[in-house]
Amino acid sequence: MTGAGQAEASAVSIRPIELRDIEQFQHVTNLVMRERQYLAFVEGFPLDEAATFVARNLRLGNPQCVAEHDGRIVGWCDIRRSELPVHAHVGTLGMGVLPEYRGQGVGGRLIRAAIDAARDAGFERVELHVYGRNTRAAALYRKMGFAHEGTLVRGKKLDGEYDDVHLMGLLL
């Protein structure tokens, strides 16, 4: 990483999401979804749906953090508690970082903050899905303590192409 990249990464702050962040959150999620590689959704959500998602997370105490650089949201990480009573101790992690901020430690900082908040909120387990071709993300999740728990062979199909889906989990 260049000196400029290091300065940029260190200037990124990680904090809990706030209602004032909804428009920027929606914009960033749309950009990452439209890459059509990393998330299960391939098109962004309308602003009202993003607002409902954020407001629900805040109301339920689901951890949701954002990465901010110069007043601009550049990434997010959320952990949503399962609504099923027998899985209420479990949360599912979702995240994304804008391309120009990847590989600078922003994702790891987001995950760490969200996991700390999940632990404080009484979560006992966090799980996630990562696509087989997304080896960088899988390596990051392993570095953060997640263990591979299984594979859904050809679990993803987009534009006629398959990819495996790896299930990963972390006990808190």
Side-chain angles (χ1 to χ4, degrees), residues 2 27 34 56 68 73 93 99 125 129 132 149-150 152 169 171:
T2 67
H27 177 72
R34 289 174 191 271
R56 181 176 174 78
E68 183 178 37
I73 303 299
L93 185 143
R125 172 183 165 79
H129 293 169
E149 296 182 337
L152 302 171
L171 297 178

Side-chain angles (χ1 to χ4, degrees), residues 86-132:
V86 298
H87 299 288
H89 64 295
V90 178
T92 301
L93 185 143
M95 69 172 299
V97 176
L98 291 178
E100 61 269 29
Y101 289 87
R102 294 176 189 155
Q104 301 179 32
V106 173
R109 291 173 56 209
L110 278 165
I111 293 169
R112 197 171 306 110
I115 287 173
D116 288 347
R119 188 177 284 113
D120 291 346
F123 288 70
E124 298 175 31
R125 172 183 165 79
V126 177
E127 55 193 31
L128 60 86
H129 293 169
V130 62
Y131 299 128

Side-chain angles (χ1 to χ4, degrees), residues 40-61:
F41 296 97
V42 295
E43 290 186 15
F45 298 115
L47 186 58
D48 64 327
E49 289 182 29
T52 299
F53 179 79
V54 171
R56 181 176 174 78
N57 280 338
L58 289 171
R59 187 178 74 252
L60 296 176

Side-chain angles (χ1 to χ4, degrees), residues 75-88:
W76 82 92
C77 183
D78 56 74
I79 300 176
R80 292 173 292 112
R81 188 182 298 273
S82 175
E83 295 179 18
L84 300 172
V86 298
H87 299 288

Side-chain angles (χ1 to χ4, degrees), residues 128-144:
L128 60 86
H129 293 169
V130 62
Y131 299 128
R133 291 188 185 114
N134 195 355
T135 56
R136 261 175 67 174
L140 172 61
Y141 299 139
R142 281 191 301 276
K143 180 179 173 184
M144 301 306 298

